[in-house]
Amino acid sequence: MIGCLCIHGFTGSPDEVAPLAEYLQKRTDWVIKTPTLPGHGKRLQLKGITYDQWFQAAERELQALMEICETVYVIGFSMGGVIAVYLAEKYKIDKLVLLSAAFYYVNPRQLIKDIHEIVRDGWRRRFRENPLFIRYKNKILATPLTAILEFRKLVNEVRPRLPNVHIPALIVQGEKDGIVPVKSAHYLYNKIGSSQKKLLLLRESYHHVCHGPDRYLLFCEVEKFLRENKLENGIY
């Protein structure tokens, strides 16, 4: 039996990876798990949560999956991608999919473009309806500084582990990502110890690649990667 653990990002929820999880669920008989990390979900409650609690929660989910599945894949989005690397270094999993993995964060140029879009909508009296404004406003208001510091600690804890990860890895990055810059994906591709690795750049996608305009390409590539026996290295 095959199991697949899908981990969402910082201040996010399983909704971030749901389209991909649902696609795989429909096309396979795999056991697909999309847990909610402590303090996350539709209502953020991050005060007092530490990064090791995120690690521990992901480990529990992985261990439960490994008890019933002979083969286990881990898919991580944004901070979930960082956690996925942590799991891959510590446990015997089979393949790794890293979506917008946040080893670097906040792409200033794209963020400025996003803000310009918000401001433009504001002049048209649609400011409060702009999805970017709603997303940034809600997360900023609900995210304590301590949680941001814990997120940074998590990234700093995992970065040195990258060379120790040797399983096949698919790294996916939206080229218009305003949160995680493209250099994060290149850094990951160069530092990870995997001999089989592929970097897929999505030209029209922003941070939430599972919901972006290139999502069907993404879904097909992820399924292909998880099904194939040998990966051709390179940047696509």
Side-chain angles (χ1 to χ4, degrees), residues 44-55:
L44 295 179
Q45 295 179 310
L46 291 166
K47 187 175 182 180
I49 301 295
T50 58
Y51 77 93
D52 58 308
Q53 290 177 267
W54 299 329
F55 281 154

Side-chain angles (χ1 to χ4, degrees), residues 25-219:
Q25 192 75 77
K26 289 177 181 177
R27 296 178 62 85
T28 69
D29 59 356
W30 302 349
V31 179
I32 312 288
K33 296 293 184 181
T34 57
T36 302
L37 297 173
H40 289 74
K42 292 185 178 179
R43 183 182 177 187
L44 295 179
Q45 295 179 310
L46 291 166
K47 187 175 182 180
I49 301 295
T50 58
Y51 77 93
D52 58 308
Q53 290 177 267
W54 299 329
F55 281 154
Q56 291 165 10
E59 287 186 71
R60 287 193 296 270
E61 295 288 343
L62 177 62
Q63 289 166 357
L65 203 53
M66 293 178 79
E67 287 182 2
I68 60 173
C69 298
E70 296 176 356
T71 300
V72 174
Y73 307 137
V74 177
I75 298 173
F77 167 72
S78 196
M79 183 182 79
V82 184
I83 295 173
V85 169
Y86 168 83
L87 296 175
E89 195 262 350
K90 191 172 180 179
Y91 294 89
K92 188 181 181 302
I93 62 177
D94 295 273
K95 289 186 180 181
L96 197 58
V97 177
L98 305 172
L99 311 173
S100 312
F103 284 90
Y104 288 91
Y105 31 86
V106 183
N107 178 346
R109 288 185 180 179
Q110 189 60 48
L111 195 56
I112 288 171
K113 289 181 180 179
D114 290 350
I115 291 170
H116 282 171
E117 181 179 331
I118 292 172
V119 172
R120 186 190 66 218
D121 284 358
W123 284 110
R124 295 175 183 172
R125 299 187 179 184
R126 292 189 289 117
F127 191 78
R128 296 184 182 278
E129 298 174 8
N130 184 289
L132 288 169
F133 169 75
I134 293 169
R135 184 186 310 146
Y136 291 138
K137 177 190 172 186
N138 291 345
K139 289 194 174 185
I140 288 171
L141 292 176
T143 306
L145 177 60
T146 53
I148 297 172
L149 295 176
E150 291 299 317
F151 165 57
R152 290 181 177 178
K153 289 178 187 177
L154 182 145
V155 174
N156 290 335
E157 171 74 22
V158 177
R159 268 188 189 147
R161 299 171 181 257
L162 279 167
N164 301 328
V165 175
H166 300 288
I167 61 173
L170 173 63
I171 301 162
V172 181
Q173 177 71 37
E175 292 194 40
K176 294 185 177 181
D177 194 333
I179 304 299
V180 174
V182 175
K183 74 173 183 179
S184 182
H186 286 284
Y187 171 84
L188 182 52
Y189 183 83
N190 291 326
K191 292 293 183 181
I192 198 166
S194 305
S195 59
Q196 294 185 56
K197 54 188 175 181
K198 177 178 178 178
L199 172 54
L200 174 65
L201 298 175
L202 301 176
R203 184 172 297 177
E204 299 300 324
S205 290
Y206 295 85
H207 187 55
H208 289 80
V209 289
C210 292
H211 294 268
D214 303 307
R215 61 188 179 278
Y216 296 113
L217 169 62
L218 165 65
F219 300 164

